[in-house]
Amino acid sequence: MTAGPKPHRLAYIDSLRGVAALLVVLMHSIQPIATGPVKTLIYDIIDPGKVGVVMFFAISGFVIPFSFPKGPAPLARFVVSRLFRLYPAYWLSMAAWIAVAAIIGGAMPSAINVLANATMAQTLFGQANLVGLYWTLFIELLFYSLCAVAFALGLLHIGRFTFGACLVWLLVAVLFAIARFALERKVPVAVPLCLSIMFWGTLWREATINRSALHRRYALRVLALFAVAIPPISLLAYDFDTGLEEYWVRYAVSYCAAIGLFMLLSTRVRLTGRVAVWFGQISYSLYLFHVHTKLLVDEAVARAGLALPAALQVILSIAAAVCVSCIVFTLVERPAIRMGKAVGGMIAARRSEQAGAPGAAQ
């Protein structure tokens, strides 16, 4: 078992988040206008958005298991911190999406769909994502839940457990891929595959930060399995199109590229400049709001009757997304994070008082 050092802010991991978010934004910005070699590249070879998303999952594995606070009531404080970290900006994103739909004349969601999405677990209720990119957040929630259970059982930082979790979820991904191929239905292969990558991120953290030789061996073994398993998983799961313009080569290359880029930027090339770190800080808001701003920019340009060059319109939408994300981070995310810490502190203080009260040990 590896105890690990006291959690601290890793600037280059913030930068990694920024890189991942910008890749997603870039893909969603250029995808509708891509032509020629660029279209061939992003549709047939590598999906920058998928690379960014998979990087986000690896980053979560690198960070979340080490974010349980020390002291009284660590599990309750972890849950509170995650709630305040994720939901306020997410709910604002939902409200903004409904407003954008009203402005551009889009279809309005049902009340049931909105309520299900408000939980961030709409997949469990069989409801569609209000915004397509919300699908990743359910996987994040699932990983947080698994980490919380493992923490409660005292397993979270045991190398054999994390290695086993990687293997189990990778096996589930293989089975799901076979089922998807046989049934030609949307079996959620990405869920177990991404969970495996998240637990691998935990092994990678132990290997690179805590210098654990055991975790390094485990991490390298899982990497070898990824290299062997991801191509056939992609071939079985994405050799037919379910309406999302899927192509198995693009999936296989994107997953492998994401893991490789994550390894590079977490070891050899660590970005710690102010701008890179700042993009990492606003990355969650950037992820949540960039589709909204793109639609609004496109609508504004169309209503104004402007014929802007495609590249300029892309730049405008990205710039608008960055500005909106900065505002949301400043006015919503950061205050919510502080509030979560304050509530967690109150929980810890109350638990300490209860533990120190007369008769508490009886």
Side-chain angles (χ1 to χ4, degrees), residues 21-361:
L22 287 172
L23 286 172
V24 175
V25 173
L26 179 65
M27 180 60 177
H28 288 158
S29 298
I30 66 174
Q31 189 175 24
I33 61 171
T35 58
V38 173
K39 184 174 183 179
T40 299
L41 177 66
I42 65 175
Y43 279 94
D44 296 341
I45 301 175
I46 185 169
D47 178 346
K50 181 71 68 178
V51 172
V53 164
V54 175
M55 286 177 63
F56 270 127
F57 288 135
I59 292 166
S60 289
F62 197 90
V63 172
I64 296 303
F66 303 88
S67 62
F68 288 82
K70 295 184 181 298
L75 196 56
R77 289 159 62 199
F78 170 79
V79 172
V80 166
S81 71
R82 290 299 94 194
L83 289 175
F84 278 90
R85 178 69 183 89
L86 293 180
Y87 280 93
Y90 173 72
W91 286 332
L92 180 60
S93 171
M94 288 180 56
W97 180 259
I98 295 171
V100 169
I103 291 171
I104 67 174
M108 301 304 291
S110 66
I112 292 177
N113 182 255
V114 172
L115 289 173
N117 273 266
T119 68
M120 207 181 284
Q122 54 271 17
T123 303
L124 293 180
F125 302 106
Q127 289 291 315
N129 294 299
L130 188 63
V131 184
L133 52 80
Y134 285 174
W135 71 272
T136 65
L137 302 178
F138 171 70
I139 300 177
E140 291 281 350
L141 275 187
L142 185 54
F143 181 66
Y144 296 168
S145 301
L146 292 171
C147 287
V149 171
F151 179 84
L153 296 175
L155 299 173
L156 190 56
H157 297 293
I158 295 178
R160 285 177 298 175
F161 167 78
T162 309
F163 179 58
C166 289
L167 299 184
V168 167
W169 287 114
L170 185 59
L171 176 60
V172 173
V174 171
L175 296 176
F176 276 21
I178 293 172
R180 185 176 176 121
F181 176 80
L183 301 174
E184 293 193 0
R185 297 183 63 183
K186 292 183 179 180
V187 180
V189 176
V191 174
L193 181 55
C194 291
L195 285 172
S196 183
I197 291 171
M198 293 166 107
F199 279 108
W200 171 82
T202 303
L203 292 175
W204 191 247
R205 160 75 174 253
E206 294 277 20
T208 58
I209 301 296
N210 295 342
R211 305 294 182 184
S212 168
L214 175 63
H215 287 83
R216 181 176 178 81
R217 287 197 297 272
Y218 284 150
L220 293 178
R221 289 173 187 174
V222 175
L223 274 176
L225 289 173
F226 284 156
V228 171
I230 286 177
I233 287 174
S234 300
L235 176 61
L236 289 170
Y238 305 110
D239 192 37
F240 63 96
D241 186 11
T242 60
L244 299 175
E245 297 177 311
E246 295 160 328
Y247 179 48
W248 76 270
V249 171
R250 184 176 63 159
Y251 275 77
V253 172
S254 298
Y255 272 96
C256 293
I259 295 170
L261 185 57
F262 171 80
M263 292 174 64
L264 177 67
L265 296 181
S266 63
T267 52
R268 300 290 184 183
V269 184
R270 292 179 172 178
L271 305 176
T272 56
R274 256 185 211 182
V275 174
V277 172
W278 178 76
F279 269 107
Q281 290 174 343
I282 68 167
S283 60
Y284 184 50
S285 289
L286 188 58
Y287 183 79
L288 288 177
F289 287 89
H290 73 275
V291 177
H292 306 52
T293 53
K294 181 185 183 307
L295 289 175
L296 287 176
V297 168
D298 291 348
E299 182 72 9
V301 169
R303 289 189 181 185
L306 300 176
L308 297 180
L312 178 57
Q313 195 155 327
V314 166
I315 292 172
L316 284 176
S317 64
I318 294 176
V322 171
C323 291
V324 169
S325 301
C326 184
I327 294 170
V328 173
F329 173 76
T330 302
L331 299 181
V332 179
E333 273 197 81
R334 188 157 54 190
I337 292 170
R338 289 173 179 167
M339 189 176 297
K341 289 180 179 179
V343 173
M346 289 189 291
I347 291 173
R350 182 176 299 178
R351 187 63 58 87
S352 295
E353 290 174 3
Q354 291 174 346

